[in-house]
């Protein structure tokens, strides 16, 4: 169980590293480390495949919420090639977290993300 738990936690850590990368080169490297080349990301606001599409979604989130970081909310849980975890988008200046959600990821044999299915639990009315 520990080996799989580490696999899920490592995948989630790479996922958050990608979502928190703001410089284009760092973002590109982080997305490539976290996702398979044909990996996908789907939530109520986006449905993209490939590193460029994923990086564009992340860049758009940072443009909409400058000065915010994505942080895990609770523990990472998983079985087989699937993991789930909660997250929140936190304002670094005041600690508020106006956006929160829950993601389910499917991993390949090396622990890279094949697909993310994201759910938004808390979204401000202005978003």
């Amino acid at each position: 169980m520990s080996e799989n738990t580490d696999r899920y936690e490592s995948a989630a850590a790479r996922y958050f590293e990608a979502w928190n990368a703001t410089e284009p080169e760092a973002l590109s490297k982080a997305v490539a480390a976290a996702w398979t080349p044909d990996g996908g990301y789907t939530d109520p606001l986006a449905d993209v495949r490939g590193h460029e599409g994923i990086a564009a979604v992340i860049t758009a989130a940072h443009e909409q919420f400058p000065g915010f970081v994505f942080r895990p909310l609770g523990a990472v849980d998983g079985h087989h090639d699937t993991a789930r975890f909660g997250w929140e988008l936190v304002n670094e200046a005041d600690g508020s977290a106006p956006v929160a959600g829950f993601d389910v990821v499917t991993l390949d044999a090396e622990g890279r993300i094949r697909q993310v299915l994201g759910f938004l639990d808390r979204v401000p009315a202005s978003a």
Side-chain angles (χ1 to χ4, degrees):
M1 182 78 173
S2 176
E3 181 180 322
N4 281 337
T5 299
D6 290 346
R7 179 177 181 230
Y8 307 135
E9 289 175 357
S10 293
R14 288 190 306 275
Y15 177 85
F16 284 107
E17 183 177 341
W19 275 96
N20 286 320
T22 56
E23 297 301 319
E25 186 174 329
L27 175 57
S28 179
K29 286 181 181 180
V31 167
W35 272 269
T36 61
D38 64 342
Y41 177 86
T42 302
D43 73 12
L45 306 174
D47 186 11
V48 297
R49 294 209 74 72
H51 292 172
E52 287 183 19
I54 294 163
V57 169
I58 293 170
T59 297
H62 285 285
E63 289 171 354
Q64 185 174 3
F65 295 96
F68 283 73
V69 295
F70 287 86
R71 294 206 179 131
L73 190 59
V76 178
D77 184 28
H79 61 81
H80 296 86
D81 290 331
T82 305
R84 65 180 181 164
F85 50 85
W87 54 267
E88 59 186 354
L89 186 59
V90 180
N91 183 324
E92 290 187 292
D94 66 14
S96 64
V99 182
F102 181 90
D103 291 347
V104 176
V105 300
T106 305
L107 305 176
D108 72 359
E110 287 78 44
R112 287 176 45 195
I113 298 169
R114 283 193 233 182
Q115 180 66 43
V116 175
L117 298 176
F119 297 85
L120 301 174
D121 298 325
R122 183 173 63 236
V123 180
S126 61

